[in-house]
């Protein structure tokens, strides 16, 4: 896999990152070198090997289960927006999404 | 009275129970003494004097009434800044969260305080725990108390340096690819990676959820055992926390180790692993001591271990790209204003994240993107199964596995920062345990070029007690480990 500037620009857009020119060049170089290293995985014969998405320890009850569905007060709406850069009326505020008709 | 930098969980509790010290007095001594040393080490990002004093007052009240003291009563500890603390800012070493204050405590923090520990503050780390040198902290690197021109390791560099320099008796760190064990090795302290699911991840700011662990750093296996006992166990707030019973880790330390079989992977000793000769010599000496104590050292093979780093940097970055999507300037953290929502997201993330975090988000986005998902992400998940399978097979014939924790001792600040791949290769002996989900411990085993070297012991799922026991016995065989040149030993007691 050869990574080029257009690919970096594409994934930066997917990741909501706005990279400058110099940053874009550095990332292109670094990603190329890391992916070249990762290519060693191609040497392995993997047919019949299941993907492992999560650790499932053989000697413990599976922890992967939901807790009881009981309401619990963690914090108020006021507190929940306390860390927001912009808030009002217990809501998070963001720039206008739909522009008014002119 | 014991010096601050040599306090242990047991001595603090005993002195408190016997009225030789007060928890409040101890807290004041630490708060007074830390700045002079930490001005050079830079392990703390935030001090928490009010919370520490309030907790100390509760413990003094218990002691004055002669009530039974909890196991970690009065023990001054500190917490890596990727672990949430209610009312105390939790930056994750990132500009994005410079002014973020959690509304809740991580379960591990809550349990640590319930066990009587006193949280002094929050510890520096690589941004979002991504790094092996602590140079990726947005607030400046931590320096190694053994040599201020060298890195403390990462990403729990602040935790390892603080414990080594005596600025806390123990600390909570996090380990996703070696971030507890590697800095523990570099700074000459004990670092424990628990089994995945052993300690609740609730309140640990997510980096790579299938690989993230919280665990203790301490100056002895015994103190690590005491902290683990306090924080381990099922937590309804983390669906992946395990239901396995929590043994009495401290009491089991003195059980014998003779007869235990310790496997040494030939892949770790092979030329390609990049093992420094002086580190190898210290490692062999440690094995000889364990053998002399009755352990059986046998060669084993972990054939897929050489593929672990490539596997890790696909899976961890994929999970990170998803987990870090939340930092968009809406609900918390930094926001860079813009006219449109999309522009605000992009500018906020550009300004909030450092280079390594962006690199990993990009790599993770790439390996998950259409056309590359199967070739990278699914493939890495399959190799992960092979890496874990190697361990399953090995533990059918051995009780523990030993390797050096790192191929070299602490490197110089700036030495590897320009080459991300070289930095990643430092994790060669640590990442595979995170991939498999098995526990591991790093215990100091001597010096190479005047810098601490770590002996890593890995165990089967939920066998932390055996690892701690081996580490504890090894510490006795080794003898007392010296203090670093920069530590609270310099501070006169008031």
């Amino acid at each position: 896999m050869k990574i080029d500037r257009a690919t970096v620009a594409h994934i930066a857009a997917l990741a909501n990152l706005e990279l400058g020119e110099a940053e874009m060049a550095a990332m292109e170089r670094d990603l190329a070198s890391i992916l070249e290293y990762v290519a060693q995985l191609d040497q392995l014969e993997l047919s019949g090997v299941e993907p492992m998405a999560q650790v499932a320890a053989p000697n413990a009850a599976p922890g992967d289960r939901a807790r009881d569905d009981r309401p619990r007060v963690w914090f108020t709406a006021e507190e929940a927006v306390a860390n927001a850069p912009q808030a009002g009326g217990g809501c998070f505020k963001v720039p206008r999404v739909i522009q008014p008709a002119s | 009275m014991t010096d601050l930098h040599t306090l242990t969980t047991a001595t603090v509790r005993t002195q408190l129970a016997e009225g030789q010290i007060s928890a409040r007095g101890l807290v004041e001594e630490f708060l007074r003494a830390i700045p002079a040393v930490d001005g050079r080490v830079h392990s703390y990002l935030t001090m928490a004097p009010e919370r520490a004093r309030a907790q100390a007052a509760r413990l003094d009240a218990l002691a004055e009434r002669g009530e039974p003291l909890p196991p970690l009563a009065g023990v001054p500890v500190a917490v890596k800044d990727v672990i949430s603390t209610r009312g105390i800012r939790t930056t994750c070493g990132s500009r994005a969260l410079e002014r973020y204050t959690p509304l809740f405590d991580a379960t591990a923090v809550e349990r640590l305080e319930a066990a009587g520990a006193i949280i002094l503050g929050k510890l520096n780390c690589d941004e979002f725990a991504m790094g092996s040198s602590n140079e990726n902290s947005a607030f400046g690197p931590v320096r190694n108390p053994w040599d201020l021109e060298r890195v403390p390791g990462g990403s729990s560099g602040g935790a390892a340096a603080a414990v080594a320099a005596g600025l806390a008796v123990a600390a909570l760190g996090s380990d996703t690819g070696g971030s507890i064990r590697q800095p523990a090795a570099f700074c000459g302290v004990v670092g424990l990676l628990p089994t995945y699911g052993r300690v609740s991840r609730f309140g640990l700011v997510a980096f790579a959820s299938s690989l993230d662990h919280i665990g203790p750093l301490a100056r002895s296996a015994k103190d690590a055992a005491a902290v683990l006992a306090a924080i381990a166990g099922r937590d309804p707030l983390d669906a992946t926390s395990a239901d396995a019973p929590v043994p009495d880790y401290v009491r089991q330390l003195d059980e014998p180790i003779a007869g235990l079989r310790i496997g040494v992977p030939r892949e770790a000793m092979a030329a390609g692993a990049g093992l420094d000769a002086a580190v190898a010599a210290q490692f062999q000496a440690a094995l000889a001591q364990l053998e002399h104590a009755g352990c059986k050292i046998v060669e084993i093979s972990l054939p897929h271990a050489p593929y672990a780093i490539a596997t890790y940097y696909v899976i961890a970055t994929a999970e990170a790209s998803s987990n870090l999507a939340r930092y968009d300037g809406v609900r918390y953290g930094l926001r860079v204003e813009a006219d449109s929502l999309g522009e605000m997201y992009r500018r906020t993330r550009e300004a909030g994240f450092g280079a390594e975090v962006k690199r990993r988000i990009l790599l993770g986005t790439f390996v998950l993107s259409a056309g590359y998902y199967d070739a990278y992400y699914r493939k890495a998940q399959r190799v992960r199964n092979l890496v874990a399978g190697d361990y399953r097979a090995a533990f059918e014939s051995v009780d523990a596995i030993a390797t050096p924790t790192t191929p070299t001792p602490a490197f110089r600040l700036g030495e590897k920062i320009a080459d991300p791949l070289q930095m990643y290769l430092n994790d060669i002996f640590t990442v595979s345990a995170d991939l498999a989900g098995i526990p591991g411990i790093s215990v100091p085993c001597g010096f190479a070029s005047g810098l601490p070297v770590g002996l890593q012991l890995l165990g089967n799922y939920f066998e932390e007690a055996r690892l701690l026991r081996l580490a504890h016995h090894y510490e006795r065989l080794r003898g007392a480990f010296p203090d670093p040149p920069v530590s609270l030993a310099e501070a006169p007691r008031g």
Side-chain angles (χ1 to χ4, degrees), chain B residues 45 98 101 141 162 231 246 276 349 361 371 403 448 457 494:
Chain B
L45 289 177
E98 192 169 359
T101 304
I231 61 176
V246 179
D276 174 275
R349 291 163 65 76
I361 290 174
T403 72
L457 297 161

Coordinates of all heavy atoms in Angstrom, one line a residue, chain B residues 45 98 101 141 162 231 246 276 349 361 371 403 448 457 494:
Chain B
L45 N 0.7 17.3 37.3 CA 0.1 18.4 36.5 C -0.8 19.3 37.4 O -1.0 20.4 37.2 CB -0.7 17.8 35.4 CG 0.1 17.2 34.2 CD1 -0.9 16.6 33.2 CD2 1.0 18.2 33.6
E98 N -7.6 20.8 28.7 CA -6.9 21.6 29.7 C -7.7 22.1 30.8 O -7.3 22.2 32.0 CB -6.2 22.8 29.0 CG -5.2 23.5 29.9 CD -4.3 24.5 29.1 OE1 -4.5 24.6 27.9 OE2 -3.4 25.1 29.7
T101 N -13.1 19.4 33.9 CA -13.3 18.8 35.3 C -14.4 17.8 35.3 O -15.5 18.1 35.2 CB -13.6 20.0 36.3 OG1 -12.6 21.0 36.1 CG2 -13.6 19.5 37.7
P141 N 7.4 17.5 29.1 CA 7.8 16.2 29.5 C 8.1 16.0 30.9 O 8.5 17.0 31.6 CB 9.0 15.9 28.6 CG 9.6 17.2 28.4 CD 8.5 18.2 28.3
A162 N 7.1 9.9 39.8 CA 6.7 10.4 41.1 C 6.9 9.3 42.2 O 7.4 9.6 43.3 CB 5.2 10.8 41.1
I231 N -8.5 -2.0 44.4 CA -9.2 -1.5 43.2 C -9.8 -2.6 42.3 O -10.6 -2.3 41.4 CB -8.2 -0.6 42.3 CG1 -7.0 -1.4 41.8 CG2 -7.8 0.6 43.0 CD1 -6.1 -0.6 40.8
V246 N -11.6 -11.8 44.0 CA -10.4 -11.1 44.3 C -9.6 -11.7 45.4 O -10.1 -11.7 46.5 CB -10.6 -9.6 44.6 CG1 -9.3 -8.8 44.9 CG2 -11.4 -8.9 43.4
D276 N 19.6 -4.8 24.3 CA 20.9 -4.2 24.8 C 21.7 -5.2 25.6 O 21.1 -5.9 26.4 CB 20.5 -3.0 25.6 CG 21.7 -2.3 26.2 OD1 22.1 -2.7 27.4 OD2 22.3 -1.4 25.7
R349 N -10.2 20.4 16.7 CA -9.4 19.2 16.7 C -8.0 19.5 16.3 O -7.0 18.9 16.8 CB -10.0 18.1 15.9 CG -11.3 17.6 16.6 CD -12.2 16.8 15.7 NE -11.6 15.5 15.2 CZ -11.5 14.4 15.9 NH1 -12.0 14.4 17.2 NH2 -11.0 13.3 15.5
I361 N -4.9 9.0 15.1 CA -6.2 9.1 14.6 C -6.3 8.9 13.1 O -7.1 8.2 12.6 CB -6.8 10.5 14.9 CG1 -7.1 10.6 16.5 CG2 -8.1 10.8 14.2 CD1 -7.5 12.0 16.9
G371 N -12.4 -0.2 1.9 CA -11.3 -0.7 1.0 C -10.1 -1.2 1.8 O -9.3 -1.9 1.3
T403 N 10.7 -11.9 30.6 CA 11.4 -11.2 29.6 C 12.0 -9.9 30.2 O 11.5 -9.5 31.3 CB 10.6 -10.7 28.4 OG1 9.7 -9.7 28.8 CG2 9.7 -11.9 27.8
A448 N 21.8 -0.8 34.0 CA 22.6 -0.9 32.8 C 23.0 0.6 32.5 O 22.2 1.4 32.4 CB 21.8 -1.4 31.6
L457 N 7.5 -10.1 34.3 CA 6.9 -11.4 34.5 C 5.5 -11.4 34.0 O 4.7 -10.5 34.3 CB 7.0 -11.8 35.9 CG 8.4 -12.0 36.5 CD1 8.4 -11.9 38.0 CD2 9.0 -13.3 36.1
G494 N 10.0 18.1 58.5 CA 9.6 19.2 59.4 C 9.1 18.7 60.7 O 8.9 17.5 60.9

